[in-house]
Amino acid sequence: MNIIKIILLISIILNLALAKDNKLTNIFDKTKLNGTLVIASLNNDIKYIHNKQRSIKGYIPASTFKIINTLIALEEKVIKDEHEIIKWDGKVRSYTPWNKDQTLQSAISVSCIWCYQKFAKEIKNKKYLTYLSKINYGNQQTGSNVTTFWLDGNIRISAMQQIDFLKKLYKNELPFKQKYIDITKKILTVEKTKDYTIKAKTGFSGKIGWYVGYVEIKNKVWFFALNADVTKDKLKYRKQIVMEALISKNII
């Protein structure tokens, strides 16, 4: 097979992967959600996309920002490790799991907002901007309130950009000490079976829902990023869509 035929074959494969994906469309249609999902292999040789136009549009990251926020907090020594106790301030909040002492592990698992707001007060806006620029995270902006900018500020990131960030995390290509990258990867684990491990984070801004992460299967890694217009009663569909999509593509 000559080089021209090889190039044409690769082009056909890529175009098929990037064309409208009926399997993904059907999964979204069942939930009646307007959103996007990107699933990509480590080397980008295979990529599945639902709603390509939306996949490159930036949205508020909400609690998916806790991934990078964890790295920054550790690097700035705002918190030592995943075992250090984060003392509850005694304020009763609407979500019961937040109303107690936390660790990094529990804080990311229950998406504890007050924990990360506490970190943000110590990190401060100038350092956030420096890190966002170094990492090329989203539009590299914050907002007027350092404790809520990832929920209601000016920062925006697309599903495609989430994939790029997650790949840098997986490949240890972010400007943080390796031990802090390892801690972050560890606490992101949401499911572990004999066949695969999923590391992921949800997000919800009140309007936009996220589910981003990656799945490790033997010697392969697949990255995913979903965002959708959701209300609280439909939050369950974030993970459900991703899991159905991974199954439909014979990834898990």
Side-chain angles (χ1 to χ4, degrees):
M1 186 180 291
N2 61 38
I3 189 68
I4 295 176
K5 287 183 178 179
I6 292 172
I7 292 171
L8 286 172
L9 181 60
I10 292 172
S11 177
I12 290 169
I13 292 171
L14 288 175
N15 285 334
L16 285 172
L18 291 174
K20 183 178 179 181
D21 192 307
N22 290 328
K23 285 185 178 179
L24 298 186
T25 297
N26 290 338
I27 292 170
F28 270 86
D29 286 348
K30 284 192 299 182
T31 65
K32 295 182 171 55
L33 288 188
N34 177 37
T36 185
L37 172 61
V38 180
I39 300 174
S41 60
L42 180 60
N43 298 318
N44 266 344
D45 52 337
I46 303 176
K47 188 179 286 183
Y48 305 109
I49 304 173
H50 170 72
N51 198 338
K52 185 178 179 181
Q53 185 175 0
R54 180 171 174 134
S55 74
I56 59 174
K57 183 178 178 181
Y59 292 90
I60 198 89
S63 285
T64 65
F65 190 77
K66 287 185 174 70
I67 302 174
I68 184 174
N69 221 350
T70 297
L71 290 163
I72 295 172
L74 287 164
E75 190 74 26
E76 290 298 317
K77 296 180 172 54
V78 171
I79 190 161
K80 181 181 177 182
D81 55 31
E82 73 272 35
H83 305 297
E84 182 179 342
I85 300 299
I86 309 165
K87 294 296 292 182
W88 179 39
D89 57 13
K91 294 180 181 178
V92 177
R93 294 170 174 87
S94 58
Y95 189 47
T96 302
W98 294 350
N99 299 327
K100 60 182 179 180
D101 293 348
Q102 305 285 339
T103 62
L104 266 182
Q105 179 70 74
S106 68
I108 207 157
S109 296
V110 302
S111 213
C112 181
I113 291 177
W114 67 260
C115 293
Y116 284 86
Q117 289 179 319
K118 182 177 180 180
F119 299 160
K121 288 176 182 176
E122 295 188 51
I123 295 166
K124 301 190 185 309
N125 193 59
K126 186 176 180 181
K127 285 185 177 176
Y128 274 121
L129 290 171
T130 298
Y131 281 111
L132 294 179
S133 177
K134 277 185 182 179
I135 298 165
N136 192 28
Y137 184 93
N139 63 359
Q140 303 173 41
Q141 296 181 32
T142 53
S144 59
N145 189 334
V146 75
T147 65
T148 62
F149 69 83
W150 59 89
L151 296 169
D152 58 15
N154 301 323
I155 189 168
R156 297 291 185 273
I157 190 168
S158 69
M160 286 290 194
Q161 289 173 321
Q162 291 270 24
I163 295 287
D164 291 340
F165 169 68
L166 290 165
K167 286 184 178 181
K168 290 177 185 176
L169 173 67
Y170 175 79
K171 295 191 287 185
N172 304 319
E173 293 178 351
L174 295 172
F176 301 98
K177 292 183 180 64
Q178 187 59 48
K179 64 180 179 180
Y180 299 145
I181 292 175
D182 291 341
I183 288 172
T184 302
K185 289 178 179 179
K186 177 184 174 183
I187 66 177
L188 284 173
T189 303
V190 295
E191 187 174 350
K192 192 167 187 177
T193 73
K194 63 181 179 63
D195 299 313
Y196 62 83
T197 299
I198 297 178
K199 299 177 184 291
K201 185 71 192 77
T202 56
F204 180 53
S205 68
K207 294 181 180 179
I208 302 296
W210 286 96
Y211 195 55
V212 307
Y214 59 91
V215 53
E216 299 172 297
I217 312 127
K218 296 180 181 179
N219 297 323
K220 293 183 180 179
V221 187
W222 290 85
F223 299 81
F224 57 84
L226 171 146
N227 70 55
D229 305 326
V230 295
T231 49
K232 278 189 177 181
D233 60 314
K234 293 187 175 182
L235 289 176
K236 64 181 181 181
Y237 292 132
R238 296 170 300 178
K239 181 177 179 179
Q240 181 179 311
I241 288 172
V242 170
M243 296 303 289
E244 284 191 32
L246 294 174
I247 292 169
S248 76
K249 298 301 180 183
N250 297 314
I251 293 172
I252 59 172

